[in-house]
């Protein structure tokens, strides 16, 4: 480097007069933050928080059996009445059974199909499309398909020469199972896609290493695939349970809560209170109960199941 | 017996032939390196030995039995993957133990074998960690421990050092050779790194485009490359190769006319040139066998001098502009850049190749 002949000149520092601000920097940043959150807060407030609290409030009033009479403040009396009733107990039982019938079976079937489709075979893409196709059907479509399949007069059963008495959907023992089968089928596409994406995230190397290490197919599945799939399965269990607790369409279309309330899940009970008995108070109490149960279950799942989940870093 | 015999093995993926009629025998306790550029089929060959890929044609024997129809899990081989393929949800202990559990080794023996393997690789203090908590070098050692723990007939290693940094790679190279001496098991080691191949292998097998080019001890391969591909692939900096016309010099001796001079050829090689009726030939000479001097048969210009501390690479150009590299020891006098120079060498170090078949011209 050759030395420069002119010494470097320092630029004159302009004297910026410190402007007096009314608020400190922290307050200004915080207000900007709140301003940015405000739009979503408004949307959530209007459609989630307000109805939620309003619901709670509605439960404190008892509605008269006839319209146009004033409702009556009863405080928590209505809560305790409903939450201790045998109808409520039955609905909770049915809902839990419904979740137990649909969630594990749905995940297991989805995983099974995903394992089948997770092969490098010519034309396997066709099967992937078929296996995931039920995701494109709505609850209504699934219900109509299975309603027809299980109809004693048209469809599969007469063709097979079967005429079960009472018909499946009116059979107190089998109605819930029938609704569950419909639900499993309808959710299978989603379950398949979830499990497939989980399988794809497992490096081939690991399974090949296990193979060379002497592990047979079952051992590879149990020792490598399943643990590495556990985050996906956990997610599917939590979301699947929430879905199951909120299922309504298939019940409404297939059994309307019957026979003998054997398919009267909580959502359907809420619907009945509100639309058929015109009792928003009772419906509100049931809705709050459904919220509470779902929340509780999710927390339990997070606490208990998640301990067994391996998250790769 | 950890002998591996590969006979006429071919692997095709659709129209692509990854391995083409490979025949190779690996002796018990030998360290054989499969060397070649990426995509040459070396990994596919290894995977076929492991049982992860099925050969399209040919026979693979491990020990005394043909294993074509034997599943990977029953072949009694262990493999170290490039990615190490450690089970991320298992502790180091469980990782090393896995092959033993798969084979239903009882608990006490398992524990003893795991500790032995871990001790051999310096993993004693890391047994309860998960792979994510280990450094690259430690993971690599876990992968090795998992491979040696059940004393398989053959170790297969697929570029096990390529994910390590340069310094660790040099160190691990030596450790692997030591490990091989201790466990005395056959090793088949795949790499694209010729330095690894030269330093580790009892023998090297060089593959290109799925075809086996040459098999032999490293020094033999280095000194007598069987074709131009091997000549150029082995050695760093690579062998200088120049195409020239075969001419008769004074006294009837054969010579190769290259830009800037003539290279005299030994009489017995001359006869071979006559026998093959070659008009042109590729002359090859390794950089360390070339010398710069005031006199020498070939005229050149020094273009760039690179100093590596212990040695120097002198980049020269022949009269037609072709590059030639000369390797000098640091103690020798460094030439000035952009000055003329003459190149000389001992004709014992000259390699000649047929330009069409690319095969070595032998006396």
């Amino acid at each position: 480097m050759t030395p420069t002949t002119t010494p470097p000149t320092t630029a004159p520092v302009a004297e910026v007069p410190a402007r007096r601000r009314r608020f400190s920097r922290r307050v200004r940043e915080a207000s900007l933050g709140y301003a940015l959150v405000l739009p979503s807060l408004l949307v959530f407030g209007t459609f989630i928080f307000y109805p939620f609290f309003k619901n709670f409030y509605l439960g404190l009033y008892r509605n008269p059996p006839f319209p146009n009479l004033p409702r009556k403040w009863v405080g928590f009396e209505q809560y305790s009445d409903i939450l201790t009733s045998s109808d409520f107990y039955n609905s909770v039982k049915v809902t839990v059974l419904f979740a137990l019938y649909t969630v594990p079976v749905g995940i297991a079937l989805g995983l099974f199909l995903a394992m089948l489709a997770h092969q490098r075979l010519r034309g396997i893409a066709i099967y992937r499309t078929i296996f995931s196709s039920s995701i494109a059907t709505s609850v209504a479509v699934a219900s109509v398909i299975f309603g027809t399949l299980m109809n004693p007069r048209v469809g599969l059963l007469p063709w097979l020469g079967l005429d079960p008495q009472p018909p499946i959907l009116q059979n107190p023992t089998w109605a819930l199972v029938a609704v569950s089968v419909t639900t499993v089928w309808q959710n299978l596409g989603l379950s398949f896609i979830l499990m497939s994406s989980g399988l794809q995230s497992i490096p081939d190397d690991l399974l090949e290493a296990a193979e060379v290490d002497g592990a047979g197919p079952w051992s590879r599945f149990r020792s490598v695939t399943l643990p590495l799939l556990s985050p996906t399965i956990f997610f599917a269990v939590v979301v699947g349970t929430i879905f199951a607790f909120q299922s309504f369409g298939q019940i409404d279309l297939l059994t309307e809560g019957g026979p003998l309330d054997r398919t009267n899940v909580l959502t359907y009970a809420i619907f009945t209170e509100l639309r058929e008995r015109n009792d928003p108070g009772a419906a509100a109490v049931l809705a709050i109960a459904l919220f509470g149960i779902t929340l509780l279950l999710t927390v339990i799942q997070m606490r208990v199941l998640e301990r067994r989940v391996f998250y790769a870093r | 017996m950890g002998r591996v015999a590969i006979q006429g093995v071919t692997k095709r993926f659709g129209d692509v032939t990854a391995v083409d009629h490979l025949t190779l025998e690996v002796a018990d306790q030998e360290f054989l390196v499969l060397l070649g550029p990426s995509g040459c089929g070396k990994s596919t060959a290894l995977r076929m030995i492991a049982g992860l890929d099925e050969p399209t044609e040919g026979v693979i024997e491990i020990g005394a039995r043909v294993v074509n129809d034997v599943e990977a899990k029953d072949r009694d081989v262990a493999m170290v993957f490039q990615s190490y393929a450690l089970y991320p949800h298992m502790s180091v202990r469980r990782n090393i133990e896995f092959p033993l559990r798969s084979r239903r080794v009882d608990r006490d023996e398992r524990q003893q074998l795991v500790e032995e393997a871990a001790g051999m690789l310096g993993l004693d203090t890391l047994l309860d960690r998960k792979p994510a908590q280990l450094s690259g070098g430690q993971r690599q050692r876990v992968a090795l421990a998992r491979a040696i723990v059940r004393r398989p007939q053959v170790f297969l290693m697929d570029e096990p050092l390529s994910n390590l940094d340069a310094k660790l790679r040099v160190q691990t190279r030596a450790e692997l050779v030591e490990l091989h001496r201790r466990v005395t098991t056959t090793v088949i080691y795949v790499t694209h790194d010729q330095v690894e191949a030269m330093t580790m292998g009892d023998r090297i097998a060089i593959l290109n485009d799925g075809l086996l080019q040459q098999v032999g001890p490293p020094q033999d391969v280095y000194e007598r490359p069987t074709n131009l591909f091997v000549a150029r692939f082995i050695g760093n900096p690579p062998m200088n190769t120049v195409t020239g016309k075969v001419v008769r010099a004074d006294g009837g001796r054969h010579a190769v006319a290259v830009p800037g001079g003539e290279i005299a050829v030994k009489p017995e090689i001359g006869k071979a040139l006559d026998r093959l009726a070659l008009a042109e030939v590729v002359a090859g000479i390794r950089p360390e066998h070339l010398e710069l001097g005031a006199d020498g048969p070939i005229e050149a210009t020094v273009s760039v001098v690179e100093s590596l501390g212990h040695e120097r690479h002198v980049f020269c150009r022949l009269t037609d502009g072709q590059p030639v590299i000369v390797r000098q020891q640091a103690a020798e006098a460094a030439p000035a850049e952009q000055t003329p120079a003459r190149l000389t060498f001992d004709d014992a170090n000259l390699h000649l190749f047929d330009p069409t078949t690319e095969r070595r011209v032998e006396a």
Side-chain angles (χ1 to χ4, degrees), chain B residues 12 23 25 60 83 101-102 110 127 129 153 156 175 186-187 191 215 237 244 262-263 268 273 285 301 306 317 324 332:
Chain B
R12 289 189 202 94
T23 297
E25 177 139 358
I60 297 175
S83 64
R101 278 177 177 264
S102 300
R110 240 166 36 208
L127 284 174
R129 295 220 197 149
Q153 290 194 64
L156 306 173
E175 283 172 9
T186 312
V187 176
T191 183
V215 196
E262 275 187 8
I263 301 170
E268 59 270 30
L273 289 174
I285 183 124
T301 313
E306 280 183 352
R317 291 203 179 274
V324 168
E332 294 174 58

Side-chain angles (χ1 to χ4, degrees), chain A residues 205-217 219-220 222-224 227-228 310 312-313, chain B residues 47 52 72-73 77-79 81 83 85-90 98-99 102-103 132-133 146 150:
Chain A
D205 274 9
L206 289 182
L207 292 161
E208 289 176 348
E211 200 177 338
V212 177
D213 282 344
S219 170
R220 289 202 291 276
R222 209 175 43 91
S223 306
V224 181
L228 295 179
F310 169 79
R313 274 196 279 166
Chain B
R47 291 173 58 85
L52 297 171
K73 69 185 181 72
V77 299
M79 186 156 168
F81 291 74
S83 64
L86 300 180
Y87 310 119
H89 54 294
M90 296 182 195
F98 189 81
S102 300
R103 285 182 170 70
Q133 298 164 304
R146 188 175 67 184
R150 68 182 161 86

